[in-house]
Amino acid sequence: MGTGQATVTDDAGARTAALGWVVATGRQGEGLATEAARAARDWLREHGVTRFVAHIHPDHGASAAVARHLGMAPTDGHRDGEVRWVGS
């Protein structure tokens, strides 16, 4: 159906997880990315992660919606043409 991942780092004393998700084209729109990313976020919170980031292409509304569902917001930061989203 897809994949999800989190890379955890210690960033200025705060444990930070960079989240990522990919859903197969035929399964998009079912809420799978939101469900998986939320489960990962909640598990990571239970294990001391306090900050979350994601890098999302500005034309990818579905991924932006997932980030919003996680309580993340876009920043002015960019990397490789993608917008940096952050949340706690």
Side-chain angles (χ1 to χ4, degrees):
M1 292 186 295
T3 62
Q5 68 95 31
T7 303
V8 179
T9 59
D10 286 316
D11 185 20
R15 294 201 68 195
T16 300
L19 301 176
W21 49 85
V22 176
V23 175
T25 304
R27 299 300 301 265
Q28 291 177 359
E30 297 178 24
L32 297 171
T34 298
E35 182 179 350
R38 183 177 288 134
R41 182 209 54 199
D42 293 349
W43 187 90
L44 290 161
R45 276 185 179 160
E46 291 174 10
H47 292 84
V49 175
T50 57
R51 188 165 180 257
F52 297 89
V53 301
H55 292 90
I56 300 171
H57 192 279
D59 294 335
H60 206 284
S63 285
V66 171
R68 277 192 297 278
H69 284 297
L70 296 177
M72 301 173 88
T75 69
D76 291 334
H78 289 80
R79 184 179 77 186
D80 297 329
E82 296 181 325
V83 177
R84 180 179 176 91
W85 288 65
V86 298
S88 56

Short mmCIF file of all heavy atoms in Angstrom, two decimals, residues 5-7 16-21 37 51-57 63-64 66-68 70 72-75 77-79 82-88:
data_model
loop_
_atom_site.label_atom_id
_atom_site.label_comp_id
_atom_site.label_asym_id
_atom_site.label_seq_id
_atom_site.Cartn_x
_atom_site.Cartn_y
_atom_site.Cartn_z
N GLN A 5 8.24 6.49 7.03
CA GLN A 5 9.54 6.44 7.69
C GLN A 5 9.69 7.63 8.61
O GLN A 5 9.01 8.65 8.44
CB GLN A 5 10.67 6.39 6.68
CG GLN A 5 10.86 7.64 5.86
CD GLN A 5 11.91 8.58 6.45
OE1 GLN A 5 12.86 8.14 7.06
NE2 GLN A 5 11.71 9.86 6.27
N ALA A 6 10.56 7.46 9.58
CA ALA A 6 10.91 8.55 10.49
C ALA A 6 12.40 8.46 10.77
O ALA A 6 12.92 7.39 11.03
CB ALA A 6 10.12 8.45 11.79
N THR A 7 13.05 9.60 10.69
CA THR A 7 14.46 9.70 11.04
C THR A 7 14.56 10.59 12.27
O THR A 7 14.15 11.76 12.21
CB THR A 7 15.28 10.29 9.88
OG1 THR A 7 15.09 9.47 8.72
CG2 THR A 7 16.76 10.36 10.23
N THR A 16 13.99 15.28 17.50
CA THR A 16 13.22 15.66 16.33
C THR A 16 13.09 14.46 15.40
O THR A 16 14.06 13.75 15.17
CB THR A 16 13.90 16.82 15.59
OG1 THR A 16 14.01 17.93 16.47
CG2 THR A 16 13.14 17.23 14.34
N ALA A 17 11.89 14.27 14.86
CA ALA A 17 11.67 13.21 13.87
C ALA A 17 11.27 13.84 12.54
O ALA A 17 10.32 14.63 12.49
CB ALA A 17 10.60 12.24 14.33
N ALA A 18 12.00 13.50 11.50
CA ALA A 18 11.62 13.86 10.14
C ALA A 18 10.73 12.74 9.62
O ALA A 18 11.16 11.58 9.56
CB ALA A 18 12.85 14.03 9.26
N LEU A 19 9.49 13.06 9.29
CA LEU A 19 8.52 12.07 8.85
C LEU A 19 8.39 12.09 7.33
O LEU A 19 8.49 13.14 6.70
CB LEU A 19 7.15 12.37 9.46
CG LEU A 19 7.06 12.39 10.98
CD1 LEU A 19 5.65 12.79 11.41
CD2 LEU A 19 7.42 11.03 11.56
N GLY A 20 8.14 10.92 6.77
CA GLY A 20 7.90 10.81 5.34
C GLY A 20 6.89 9.71 5.06
O GLY A 20 6.77 8.77 5.84
N TRP A 21 6.15 9.84 3.97
CA TRP A 21 5.15 8.83 3.62
C TRP A 21 4.97 8.81 2.11
O TRP A 21 5.13 9.81 1.42
CB TRP A 21 3.81 9.12 4.31
CG TRP A 21 3.35 10.53 4.15
CD1 TRP A 21 2.65 11.06 3.10
CD2 TRP A 21 3.60 11.62 5.04
NE1 TRP A 21 2.43 12.40 3.28
CE2 TRP A 21 3.01 12.78 4.47
CE3 TRP A 21 4.24 11.76 6.26
CZ2 TRP A 21 3.05 14.03 5.08
CZ3 TRP A 21 4.29 13.00 6.85
CH2 TRP A 21 3.69 14.11 6.28
N ALA A 37 1.03 7.99 9.48
CA ALA A 37 1.87 9.06 10.02
C ALA A 37 1.44 9.43 11.44
O ALA A 37 2.28 9.69 12.30
CB ALA A 37 1.81 10.29 9.10
N ARG A 51 9.48 17.10 18.61
CA ARG A 51 9.37 17.99 17.44
C ARG A 51 9.32 17.13 16.19
O ARG A 51 10.03 16.13 16.07
CB ARG A 51 10.59 18.90 17.41
CG ARG A 51 10.54 19.98 16.38
CD ARG A 51 11.63 21.03 16.69
NE ARG A 51 11.60 22.08 15.73
CZ ARG A 51 12.48 22.19 14.72
NH1 ARG A 51 13.46 21.35 14.60
NH2 ARG A 51 12.37 23.19 13.87
N PHE A 52 8.48 17.55 15.23
CA PHE A 52 8.31 16.79 14.00
C PHE A 52 8.47 17.72 12.80
O PHE A 52 8.04 18.87 12.84
CB PHE A 52 6.92 16.13 13.97
CG PHE A 52 6.75 15.14 15.08
CD1 PHE A 52 6.28 15.55 16.31
CD2 PHE A 52 7.12 13.83 14.90
CE1 PHE A 52 6.15 14.64 17.36
CE2 PHE A 52 7.00 12.92 15.94
CZ PHE A 52 6.52 13.33 17.17
N VAL A 53 9.10 17.22 11.75
CA VAL A 53 9.27 17.98 10.52
C VAL A 53 8.92 17.08 9.33
O VAL A 53 9.01 15.85 9.42
CB VAL A 53 10.71 18.54 10.35
CG1 VAL A 53 11.08 19.45 11.49
CG2 VAL A 53 11.72 17.43 10.20
N ALA A 54 8.52 17.71 8.25
CA ALA A 54 8.32 17.01 6.98
C ALA A 54 8.66 18.00 5.88
O ALA A 54 8.49 19.21 6.04
CB ALA A 54 6.87 16.54 6.84
N HIS A 55 9.16 17.50 4.77
CA HIS A 55 9.47 18.33 3.61
C HIS A 55 8.52 17.92 2.49
O HIS A 55 8.53 16.75 2.06
CB HIS A 55 10.94 18.18 3.21
CG HIS A 55 11.85 18.77 4.23
ND1 HIS A 55 12.33 18.04 5.29
CD2 HIS A 55 12.31 20.02 4.39
CE1 HIS A 55 13.07 18.84 6.05
NE2 HIS A 55 13.07 20.04 5.52
N ILE A 56 7.69 18.87 2.04
CA ILE A 56 6.60 18.57 1.12
C ILE A 56 6.66 19.50 -0.08
O ILE A 56 6.77 20.72 0.08
CB ILE A 56 5.24 18.71 1.84
CG1 ILE A 56 5.19 17.74 3.04
CG2 ILE A 56 4.09 18.48 0.88
CD1 ILE A 56 4.00 17.94 3.94
N HIS A 57 6.56 18.92 -1.27
CA HIS A 57 6.55 19.73 -2.49
C HIS A 57 5.34 20.66 -2.46
O HIS A 57 4.23 20.24 -2.10
CB HIS A 57 6.50 18.82 -3.72
CG HIS A 57 6.77 19.57 -4.98
ND1 HIS A 57 5.79 20.30 -5.63
CD2 HIS A 57 7.90 19.73 -5.70
CE1 HIS A 57 6.30 20.86 -6.69
NE2 HIS A 57 7.58 20.53 -6.76
N SER A 63 -0.19 15.54 0.50
CA SER A 63 0.79 15.45 1.58
C SER A 63 0.68 16.63 2.54
O SER A 63 0.86 16.48 3.74
CB SER A 63 2.21 15.34 1.03
OG SER A 63 2.43 14.04 0.52
N ALA A 64 0.37 17.80 2.00
CA ALA A 64 0.15 18.97 2.87
C ALA A 64 -1.04 18.71 3.79
O ALA A 64 -1.02 19.07 4.98
CB ALA A 64 -0.07 20.22 2.03
N VAL A 66 -2.03 15.78 4.91
CA VAL A 66 -1.56 14.85 5.95
C VAL A 66 -0.84 15.63 7.03
O VAL A 66 -1.10 15.44 8.23
CB VAL A 66 -0.64 13.76 5.35
CG1 VAL A 66 0.00 12.92 6.45
CG2 VAL A 66 -1.42 12.86 4.39
N ALA A 67 0.06 16.50 6.64
CA ALA A 67 0.82 17.29 7.62
C ALA A 67 -0.11 18.14 8.47
O ALA A 67 0.06 18.22 9.69
CB ALA A 67 1.85 18.16 6.90
N ARG A 68 -1.11 18.75 7.86
CA ARG A 68 -2.09 19.54 8.63
C ARG A 68 -2.84 18.68 9.63
O ARG A 68 -3.08 19.08 10.76
CB ARG A 68 -3.07 20.26 7.70
CG ARG A 68 -2.53 21.55 7.14
CD ARG A 68 -3.61 22.39 6.47
NE ARG A 68 -4.20 21.73 5.31
CZ ARG A 68 -3.66 21.72 4.09
NH1 ARG A 68 -2.52 22.35 3.87
NH2 ARG A 68 -4.25 21.10 3.10
N LEU A 70 -1.72 16.25 11.14
CA LEU A 70 -0.79 15.96 12.23
C LEU A 70 -0.50 17.18 13.09
O LEU A 70 0.28 17.12 14.02
CB LEU A 70 0.54 15.43 11.66
CG LEU A 70 0.47 14.11 10.92
CD1 LEU A 70 1.83 13.75 10.35
CD2 LEU A 70 -0.05 13.00 11.81
N MET A 72 0.87 19.97 11.92
CA MET A 72 2.06 20.64 11.41
C MET A 72 1.65 21.87 10.60
O MET A 72 0.53 21.95 10.11
CB MET A 72 2.88 19.68 10.56
CG MET A 72 3.32 18.43 11.31
SD MET A 72 4.11 17.22 10.23
CE MET A 72 5.79 17.82 10.34
N ALA A 73 2.59 22.80 10.46
CA ALA A 73 2.34 24.01 9.70
C ALA A 73 3.55 24.30 8.81
O ALA A 73 4.69 24.01 9.18
CB ALA A 73 2.10 25.20 10.63
N PRO A 74 3.31 24.89 7.63
CA PRO A 74 4.44 25.21 6.74
C PRO A 74 5.26 26.36 7.30
O PRO A 74 4.74 27.21 8.02
CB PRO A 74 3.75 25.61 5.44
CG PRO A 74 2.39 26.07 5.85
CD PRO A 74 2.02 25.28 7.07
N THR A 75 6.53 26.36 6.97
CA THR A 75 7.44 27.42 7.37
C THR A 75 7.96 28.11 6.11
O THR A 75 7.62 27.72 4.99
CB THR A 75 8.63 26.87 8.17
OG1 THR A 75 9.46 26.11 7.29
CG2 THR A 75 8.17 26.01 9.34
N GLY A 77 11.02 27.87 5.39
CA GLY A 77 12.17 27.05 5.02
C GLY A 77 11.89 26.17 3.81
O GLY A 77 10.78 25.66 3.63
N HIS A 78 12.90 26.01 2.98
CA HIS A 78 12.81 25.17 1.79
C HIS A 78 14.05 24.30 1.69
O HIS A 78 15.14 24.70 2.12
CB HIS A 78 12.69 26.02 0.52
CG HIS A 78 11.38 26.71 0.40
ND1 HIS A 78 11.09 27.87 1.08
CD2 HIS A 78 10.27 26.39 -0.31
CE1 HIS A 78 9.86 28.24 0.78
NE2 HIS A 78 9.34 27.37 -0.06
N ARG A 79 13.88 23.13 1.10
CA ARG A 79 15.01 22.24 0.82
C ARG A 79 14.68 21.47 -0.45
O ARG A 79 13.64 20.82 -0.52
CB ARG A 79 15.26 21.27 1.98
CG ARG A 79 16.50 20.40 1.74
CD ARG A 79 16.76 19.48 2.88
NE ARG A 79 15.80 18.38 2.78
CZ ARG A 79 15.65 17.43 3.68
NH1 ARG A 79 16.35 17.45 4.79
NH2 ARG A 79 14.79 16.47 3.51
N GLU A 82 11.24 21.76 -1.77
CA GLU A 82 10.14 21.37 -0.89
C GLU A 82 10.04 22.32 0.30
O GLU A 82 11.04 22.85 0.76
CB GLU A 82 10.32 19.93 -0.41
CG GLU A 82 10.27 18.93 -1.53
CD GLU A 82 10.43 17.51 -1.06
OE1 GLU A 82 11.17 17.25 -0.10
OE2 GLU A 82 9.80 16.62 -1.68
N VAL A 83 8.82 22.49 0.80
CA VAL A 83 8.57 23.36 1.95
C VAL A 83 8.76 22.55 3.23
O VAL A 83 8.30 21.41 3.32
CB VAL A 83 7.13 23.92 1.89
CG1 VAL A 83 6.82 24.77 3.12
CG2 VAL A 83 6.93 24.73 0.62
N ARG A 84 9.41 23.17 4.21
CA ARG A 84 9.61 22.53 5.50
C ARG A 84 8.37 22.79 6.36
O ARG A 84 7.96 23.93 6.56
CB ARG A 84 10.85 23.10 6.18
CG ARG A 84 11.15 22.51 7.54
CD ARG A 84 12.43 23.16 8.08
NE ARG A 84 12.76 22.73 9.40
CZ ARG A 84 13.52 21.70 9.72
NH1 ARG A 84 14.05 20.99 8.74
NH2 ARG A 84 13.76 21.38 10.96
N TRP A 85 7.75 21.73 6.85
CA TRP A 85 6.61 21.79 7.76
C TRP A 85 7.10 21.37 9.14
O TRP A 85 7.94 20.47 9.26
CB TRP A 85 5.52 20.83 7.31
CG TRP A 85 4.79 21.27 6.07
CD1 TRP A 85 5.31 21.40 4.81
CD2 TRP A 85 3.43 21.60 5.99
NE1 TRP A 85 4.34 21.81 3.95
CE2 TRP A 85 3.16 21.93 4.64
CE3 TRP A 85 2.37 21.64 6.90
CZ2 TRP A 85 1.90 22.30 4.19
CZ3 TRP A 85 1.12 22.01 6.45
CH2 TRP A 85 0.89 22.34 5.12
N VAL A 86 6.58 21.99 10.19
CA VAL A 86 6.98 21.64 11.56
C VAL A 86 5.76 21.51 12.46
O VAL A 86 4.72 22.12 12.21
CB VAL A 86 7.98 22.65 12.16
CG1 VAL A 86 9.27 22.70 11.36
CG2 VAL A 86 7.36 24.02 12.26
N GLY A 87 5.92 20.74 13.50
CA GLY A 87 4.89 20.57 14.51
C GLY A 87 5.46 19.94 15.75
O GLY A 87 6.61 19.50 15.77
N SER A 88 4.65 19.91 16.78
CA SER A 88 5.12 19.29 18.03
C SER A 88 4.17 18.20 18.48
O SER A 88 3.20 17.92 17.84
CB SER A 88 5.25 20.35 19.13
OG SER A 88 4.04 21.03 19.31
#
